[in-house]
Amino acid sequence: MPNVSTGGIMAYMLSTWRNTFAIFWKETKTYFTSPMAYIIGGVFLAITGYLFVSSISVAFPEASIRGWLDPSTTVFVLWAPAITMRLLAEEQKLGTLELLMTSPIRDYEIVLGKFAAVMAILLATLVLTLFYTLLLVLYGDPDLGPILTGYLGIILFGGASLSIGLLASSLTSNQVVAAIVSFGTLLLMVLTNQAADITSGVAAQVLEGVSLSGHFDDFSRGILDTNNVVYYLSVMAFFLFLTIRNIESRRWR
Amino acid sequence: MAEQDLQRVSLWERIKGILSAAALLLAIVGGVALLGGFALWLWADDLRTTGTYMMIAGAVVLLIAAVFSSVNIREALAGQRGRFAINAILMVVAFTGIVVFFNFISYHNVARADLTASKQFSLAQQTTQVLDDLTENVHATAFFIPDRPTDEANRQLADDLMFEFQRRSNRTFTYEFVDPEGDPGRAEVYGLSQFPSIVFQAQDSGQAVVLSVPPLSEQDLTSMLLIVTGEQQKRVYFVTGHGEKDAINQDPEDPQGFAFAGRGVLADSYSVDTLNLAQVGTIPEDAAVLVFPGPSRNMSIQEFDSFDAWLRNGGRAIFLVDPPVPNSVRTLLEPWGIALGGDTIVDPGSSLHQALRTPLLQSGQFNRQTSITRDLDTVLMPLSTPIEISVEPEKVPPWVEYVPLARSTLLSWKTSDPESEDFNPERGDTIGPFDVGMVVHACGIVGEEIDTVIAVAGRSRECISAEGTRKPTTIAIFGDSDFAANRYSPYSTNLDFFLNAVNYVAEDYNLISIRPKPFAFRELVVTSQEFDFIRFSSWFLLPAAVGLASIAVWWRRR
């Protein structure tokens, strides 16, 4: 029976925080001291920059970020696998995952630490896209409500995509295979929204309910809906849980 | 006998052996049948029975596979790995259940906040009241052909609005989208041939009404709900027979027609009809409001007497008059203290570009104290005539109240010259401002002596006398009819000006609150240099900065 006193809980939480942060810090440093994060981030910014300019190159352009925000959900289908594919696959290939698992670090601390690291990359990249908003504020009068919800939506969408990528990375020691698996899963979860449009009744509702992109529309229009927030948080929790269980299974497989 | 038993056992053993060997294959076949059947059951309504049989067959095959590989399964489960695997599966199933449960709860208990500046996706108070009062289940079937670019915006709007209606009504109102090409039978049930259309059907009474899209607004959906649930509709009559504009002509291309105005009145839950008094002889008893859309000819004495008596008896009417106003209309309104003539307003202070005779009413020119004009933005009133009160302000009797709606600017003047745009006092031109819209509430005509006073009662008026209280006569007069005609009504809040007046005169003040919200299009207006800066900085600045950082990192690590 573990120590369940307040002090015990505090010590447990402190050690969890310390271990998770250690993993997060190590991963973040790895990303930022290698060119990979910059290249992937640069490509993302080049695509969003192109989309942003395209959206305002029309006859009566609207001072809005929807022009790059809406298609960026499709960009994430490629971006998330690229950023997550090495996270656990490389550890498995190099054999360092066994080292981690035999160290006094819990499985969920490994997963949460790595997830936090890729979320940090995502946030850092999205912070740079605020440049587009700055341009709109300088030269126009954008509605800030949809911009705010749009960013919240893209963070949640990105988080959900990264959690799927993390699971794929835990399934194999081959980074390419991990990328393909997460790409396929993301594509499927994005396309279910289109499938919902060609069906009706319960099936349409179910497909729309599980679709990653279907829950994003409200955010980009300026609506904050608790159902959408719960959905993305659920997807993140579900895939992170599966990742933890998958890593744990290495102990008895 | 013993040999036969031996043979039977041997056969059974042989079958068992085959089934055990093929257990994996059977499991795969059973699994595929189960999933395929489920997919059919879920997606193909016509093949649901087949899907059910497939699921049953799949489950049976799976069971056979499980029975004949029971030894292997038992061995796998009995071991340490098996126990861990079962534990892991149970945890995943439990966690999945929790996630599904949370999503189910959140789906049925949605909280939505509209963060757009103009609250584009928030419902008006009147709509929420209608939805709260909805007792009969109503189902809307929206027939939209998918992937038709012209319908995309309306489909999105319909989805947004109906989703909000469904949520607010706690699913007393529900909706679905149907592809009429993919499922033509559904459209045929309602005899639909034009798409997109939305059919509203009351579940108990079975009554159905069809709304053609576009246009589409919150107001349309609210009206359809009221109609389909049998709400008593007030009737608005557009008077004809004296050169009035045609409200029943549904051709929006006719610049003089009142198609948009007629549809707007319909969308406000009224029923609309025309009234040619020379034909029918009497004003119908169910007339809530009479609208005179630009009469250009005099009415007969019999008609005059009928309209005059109707107004004196507490009638409610809207006059949209153009100069020169026919004598009979002028005479009809004279007893109520309204003077109309043949003059036109010229307004250099605020008018359409190079058209000084088309006053452009802007924010400061409206009376913000009345709901008719409180939320109006701009209104164009081409060739309008001034509406003047023939009674001096201090002599206005206590049973009459004048509510001015909008005025021309201080720089305006009225002239009898139909062409000139120059001010000429010798011709009789007079400096403004002039009222171009006015509402008269009166318990009696100006000249008579009655012991009655008019008083404000909530948002309406009441005549109070020794005999008790009654409703006064209410007349709205506009110095122009073109502003509500097809040519000008789409401009800014022109149509709202007219529809608000109908709602006000009919005392349906709440309807004014569900006018389609002005869509604040925030256009990005930039010079070519500014656009170049935005373009090149967005294309190159950020990727280049990140690229340079990448090179710096590589250089340091090198």
Side-chain angles (χ1 to χ4, degrees):
Chain A
M1 181 81 183
N3 184 358
V4 288
S5 66
T6 312
I9 292 170
M10 289 296 286
Y12 182 84
M13 284 173 67
L14 194 68
S15 83
T16 296
W17 161 248
R18 210 169 34 224
N19 293 342
T20 306
F21 185 77
I23 298 284
F24 160 75
W25 190 243
K26 179 218 151 208
E27 284 299 330
T28 310
K29 266 196 338 194
T30 309
Y31 270 117
F32 282 105
T33 52
S34 75
M36 197 179 73
Y38 297 96
I39 292 167
I40 295 173
V43 169
F44 181 80
L45 291 169
I47 294 171
T48 53
Y50 170 78
L51 292 169
F52 173 65
V53 173
S54 298
S55 72
I56 60 165
S57 303
V58 292
F60 300 103
E62 191 185 357
S64 152
I65 60 167
R66 284 188 77 172
W68 72 264
L69 205 62
D70 287 341
S72 66
T73 54
T74 313
V75 177
F76 270 105
V77 173
L78 288 167
W79 189 83
I83 206 87
T84 53
M85 63 184 185
R86 59 161 282 281
L87 276 176
L88 287 161
E90 193 180 52
E91 300 264 21
Q92 292 178 71
K93 190 179 177 187
L94 298 175
T96 48
L97 189 60
E98 269 67 30
L99 282 178
L100 269 179
M101 291 173 74
T102 49
S103 65
I105 295 179
R106 298 168 195 98
D107 297 341
Y108 70 85
E109 291 165 353
I110 299 170
V111 172
L112 288 182
K114 285 179 180 288
F115 180 67
V118 282
M119 278 303 282
I121 307 282
L122 169 71
L123 292 177
T125 311
L126 289 177
V127 163
L128 292 175
T129 63
L130 286 173
F131 178 69
Y132 310 134
T133 307
L134 183 70
L135 288 172
L136 293 176
V137 172
L138 278 177
Y139 295 111
D141 178 27
D143 191 349
L144 293 177
I147 291 178
L148 204 70
T149 53
Y151 268 98
L152 176 66
I154 203 74
I155 290 168
L156 289 170
F157 185 95
S161 308
L162 292 173
S163 68
I164 293 169
L166 194 58
L167 172 67
S169 181
S170 77
L171 294 172
T172 172
S173 59
N174 188 323
Q175 290 187 36
V176 177
V177 173
I180 290 170
V181 169
S182 77
F183 170 75
T185 312
L186 281 169
L187 194 65
L188 198 69
M189 290 190 73
V190 166
L191 290 181
T192 44
N193 201 36
Q194 263 107 61
D197 287 341
I198 56 168
T199 51
S200 60
V202 183
Q205 281 180 344
V206 169
L207 288 171
E208 204 172 59
V210 299
S211 161
L212 265 185
S213 51
H215 289 268
F216 183 72
D217 295 342
D218 276 344
F219 287 107
S220 68
R221 283 186 299 126
I223 293 175
L224 192 57
D225 186 315
T226 50
N227 182 37
N228 296 327
V229 176
V230 168
Y231 167 79
Y232 283 123
L233 292 177
S234 302
V235 170
M236 277 185 247
F238 182 69
F239 282 97
L240 290 178
F241 179 80
L242 289 184
T243 311
I244 294 165
R245 294 275 75 82
N246 186 45
I247 289 181
E248 187 204 54
S249 73
R250 292 174 69 88
R251 296 182 193 279
W252 49 263
R253 264 191 290 160
Chain B
M1 186 72 183
E3 199 176 316
Q4 273 182 345
D5 283 349
L6 205 63
Q7 271 181 353
R8 211 174 291 146
V9 168
S10 164
L11 183 66
W12 172 239
E13 285 299 325
R14 219 178 303 155
I15 292 169
K16 239 170 81 173
I18 292 167
L19 286 174
S20 297
L24 183 63
L25 187 68
L26 285 175
I28 292 169
V29 170
V32 168
L34 199 63
L35 288 175
F38 182 64
L40 281 181
W41 184 84
L42 204 60
W43 282 301
D45 287 345
D46 301 341
L47 297 173
R48 275 202 160 181
T49 316
T50 314
T52 309
Y53 288 137
M54 273 179 74
M55 280 195 286
I56 292 168
V60 169
V61 172
L62 267 180
L63 192 70
I64 292 169
V67 167
F68 287 96
S69 57
S70 57
V71 178
N72 295 338
I73 292 171
R74 209 179 306 130
E75 276 175 7
L77 295 181
Q80 194 185 26
R81 284 171 63 184
R83 283 203 302 275
F84 277 121
I86 288 174
N87 187 37
I89 288 168
L90 286 177
M91 284 177 81
V92 169
V93 168
F95 195 82
T96 307
I98 292 168
V99 165
V100 170
F101 175 74
F102 268 109
N103 278 272
F104 181 80
I105 295 291
S106 86
Y107 182 76
H108 290 279
N109 297 279
V110 179
R112 281 164 79 83
D114 182 356
L115 299 188
T116 55
S118 55
K119 300 286 171 226
Q120 204 69 33
F121 305 105
S122 303
L123 299 180
Q125 197 186 350
Q126 163 77 1
T127 304
T128 55
Q129 189 63 51
V130 168
L131 292 168
D132 288 346
D133 295 344
L134 198 63
T135 48
E136 187 178 3
N137 285 333
V138 176
H139 185 73
T141 311
F143 292 93
F144 278 74
I145 297 169
D147 300 327
R148 218 157 64 171
T150 47
D151 295 340
E152 272 307 305
N154 278 314
R155 184 192 165 97
Q156 185 63 60
L157 182 63
D159 197 7
D160 289 340
L161 285 172
M162 291 197 288
F163 184 86
E164 292 297 332
F165 273 51
Q166 179 175 274
R167 190 183 66 79
R168 179 72 204 195
S169 66
N170 286 328
R171 298 191 165 263
T172 311
F173 171 82
T174 52
Y175 74 99
E176 65 175 317
F177 279 89
V178 170
D179 172 9
E181 287 179 344
D183 192 356
R186 295 284 299 275
E188 276 170 25
V189 169
Y190 303 106
L192 296 177
S193 57
Q194 204 177 352
F195 305 106
S197 294
I198 305 175
V199 179
F200 294 77
Q201 188 158 32
Q203 300 294 288
D204 295 342
S205 66
Q207 193 188 341
V209 286
V210 180
L211 173 70
S212 288
V213 179
L216 179 68
S217 68
E218 176 187 336
Q219 183 184 16
D220 289 311
L221 299 185
T222 311
S223 300
M224 290 298 123
L225 277 184
L226 289 172
I227 293 167
V228 82
T229 51
E231 187 80 8
Q232 188 66 39
Q233 287 180 279
K234 290 181 181 173
R235 191 170 284 260
V236 173
Y237 284 92
F238 283 78
V239 176
T240 62
H242 321 98
E244 287 92 349
K245 293 185 168 68
D246 188 357
I248 301 301
N249 171 14
Q250 289 299 304
D251 179 13
E253 300 297 321
D254 176 7
Q256 293 298 307
F258 256 48
F260 293 126
R263 185 185 161 113
V265 175
L266 271 175
D268 275 350
S269 312
Y270 300 100
S271 64
V272 174
D273 211 339
T274 52
L275 172 65
N276 189 324
L277 199 55
Q279 268 181 347
V280 294
T282 54
I283 298 169
E285 282 185 10
D286 62 352
V289 177
L290 295 186
V291 180
F292 294 77
S296 58
R297 292 197 301 270
N298 283 313
M299 54 186 78
S300 68
I301 294 171
Q302 289 82 358
E303 285 179 290
F304 180 91
D305 289 343
S306 292
F307 286 129
D308 187 49
W310 189 77
L311 285 176
R312 287 175 193 240
N313 203 25
R316 293 165 179 272
I318 296 173
F319 288 85
L320 302 138
V321 295
D322 299 303
V325 183
N327 282 335
S328 59
V329 175
R330 288 163 63 177
T331 315
L332 193 64
L333 292 172
E334 264 172 18
W336 307 98
I338 296 295
L340 300 169
D343 293 341
T344 316
I345 296 171
V346 183
D347 194 349
S350 180
S351 56
L352 199 61
H353 180 58
Q354 293 185 330
L356 297 183
R357 285 172 185 267
T358 302
L360 177 66
L361 302 174
Q362 301 188 69
S363 182
Q365 295 172 256
F366 294 112
N367 174 9
R368 299 301 190 191
Q369 303 301 312
T370 172
S371 57
I372 299 179
T373 41
R374 187 173 297 136
D375 298 321
L376 294 186
D377 186 11
T378 53
V379 169
L380 275 177
M381 294 194 79
L383 296 174
S384 45
T385 189
I387 296 157
E388 292 171 293
I389 301 169
S390 57
V391 194
E392 288 173 33
E394 62 276 10
K395 289 184 180 171
V396 172
W399 59 87
V400 178
E401 182 191 359
Y402 296 101
V403 182
L405 300 178
R407 268 189 188 149
S408 60
T409 69
L410 289 168
L411 299 175
S412 63
W413 67 85
K414 64 172 183 176
T415 178
S416 54
D417 190 316
E419 299 293 331
S420 170
E421 291 191 339
D422 298 320
F423 179 66
N424 184 358
E426 289 171 11
R427 193 172 49 209
D429 293 359
T430 316
I431 290 286
F434 301 102
D435 288 311
V436 290
M438 175 84 68
V439 172
V440 185
H441 297 285
C443 304
I445 60 169
V446 174
E448 68 184 330
E449 282 296 328
I450 53 171
D451 188 19
T452 306
V453 291
I454 192 160
V456 175
R459 286 189 283 180
S460 60
R461 305 290 191 281
E462 274 184 353
C463 297
I464 302 168
S465 65
E467 287 88 45
T469 59
R470 62 181 171 87
K471 289 285 178 191
T473 296
T474 302
I475 307 169
I477 308 117
F478 293 90
D480 175 49
S481 67
D482 298 306
F483 81 95
N486 293 344
R487 183 174 174 191
Y488 292 101
S489 63
Y491 175 79
S492 189
T493 45
N494 267 35
L495 190 57
D496 291 352
F497 196 16
F498 170 69
L499 295 176
N500 288 356
V502 174
N503 299 155
Y504 184 89
V505 172
E507 292 198 345
D508 289 317
Y509 306 105
N510 284 334
L511 285 173
I512 297 171
S513 69
I514 53 168
R515 291 272 159 268
K517 295 177 189 73
F519 178 65
F521 185 73
R522 292 161 184 264
E523 191 179 340
L524 183 69
V525 184
V526 287
T527 62
S528 57
Q529 285 90 351
E530 288 168 341
F531 180 76
D532 282 343
F533 173 71
I534 293 174
R535 178 168 50 182
F536 292 118
S537 62
S538 301
W539 277 351
F540 301 119
L541 189 67
L542 293 180
V546 175
L548 283 176
S550 164
I551 291 168
V553 166
W554 170 77
W555 186 261
R556 252 184 77 188
R557 283 176 62 89
R558 187 178 62 93

